[in-house]
Amino acid sequence: MIDTVVPARSFVPAFVVEAGEVLRIEDLAGRQAADVVLMPVDDPHDQMSCIYTQLLNRTTRITHGHVIYSKAARPLATVVEDTVGVHWFGGGCCSAETNEFRYGSPEGGSCRENLVESLAGHIAGPAELELDAIASLFMNIAIGPDGGLEIVLPTSRAGDHIDLRAERSLLVAVSACPQERNPCNGFEPSDIALSTSNP
Ligand SMILES: [Zn+2]
């Protein structure tokens, strides 16, 4: 069972959530993105696919009742509670490269670096962590009527959470997004809480 805090800007080593357990990911202070990777323990290459999750649920707004699917279109987890309803399941996350592109410097930390370190010993290197396998919980990306896309303040408040019931035993990695040069963490990165229960 898991009951821990991902410190602001950082990560915890990847951990296992057994099939049937419910993982709660909680935004302790509010307005904080949590980037998450799910991999089946018995088939780590069949990682979560954000694209299939959107296409097979036929929505870009993944929330309560939706199933998170793998690259092989197999159910990995079901969203059994969601007090926010605003997440980014378009894939990708902040990285040294996007920091360089957007802000002229690779520094400042990133979810990609956090997640690769979190998965050390489970993946051979960054290339094994596909962008499609990364969901940004509580991340608020506004899409305008013209298709324009903008990172805006999360709507999550202190204590908001999303509960994922594992449909298979899963290896889970979580990054408390370190980004402070855009609104995705309210310009003030903060902690994320993780806990599991066995209903
Ligand atoms: Zn990030």
Side-chain angles (χ1 to χ4, degrees):
M1 303 290 270
I2 302 295
D3 188 2
T4 191
V5 170
V6 184
R9 300 180 175 82
S10 192
F11 62 93
V12 292
F15 56 92
V16 171
V17 177
E18 302 291 350
E21 286 187 334
V22 173
L23 170 65
R24 172 163 294 184
I25 300 162
E26 180 178 348
D27 184 353
L28 283 173
R31 304 203 306 192
Q32 172 63 42
D35 286 54
V36 173
V37 177
L38 308 179
M39 297 180 178
V41 169
D42 60 0
D43 188 3
H45 290 288
D46 194 19
Q47 301 174 0
M48 168 168 70
S49 167
C50 286
I51 293 169
Y52 277 175
T53 296
Q54 292 195 348
L55 290 173
L56 299 177
N57 287 286
R58 300 170 68 186
T59 179
T60 58
R61 291 222 154 186
I62 301 301
T63 184
H64 183 261
H66 292 133
V67 173
I68 296 173
Y69 291 97
S70 73
K71 288 196 299 182
R74 288 186 281 191
L76 297 184
T78 302
V79 181
V80 293
E81 189 167 311
D82 180 8
T83 64
V84 182
V86 178
H87 311 283
W88 177 250
F89 272 81
C93 67
C94 64
S95 65
E97 292 81 4
T98 59
N99 283 342
E100 173 78 45
F101 184 96
R102 288 169 169 152
Y103 311 114
S105 164
E107 305 297 328
S110 71
C111 287
R112 184 155 180 86
E113 290 161 289
N114 283 350
L115 292 169
V116 168
E117 277 200 61
S118 172
L119 289 162
H122 300 285
I123 59 173
E128 274 191 32
L129 176 56
E130 297 182 18
L131 292 175
D132 182 35
I134 304 166
S136 303
L137 304 180
F138 314 123
M139 173 94 164
N140 190 4
I141 298 190
I143 298 176
D146 60 350
L149 190 150
E150 189 177 358
I151 298 169
V152 297
L153 281 174
T155 62
S156 52
R157 298 178 179 191
D160 271 332
H161 55 269
I162 183 169
D163 291 356
L164 307 178
R165 184 183 66 221
E167 305 300 346
R168 301 164 68 178
S169 291
L170 299 172
L171 185 67
V172 180
V174 179
S175 165
C177 180
Q179 190 55 251
E180 52 191 7
R181 287 164 287 189
N182 71 50
C184 71
N185 303 310
F187 301 103
E188 192 175 10
S190 57
D191 299 347
I192 292 289
L194 304 173
S195 60
T196 52
S197 60
N198 209 333

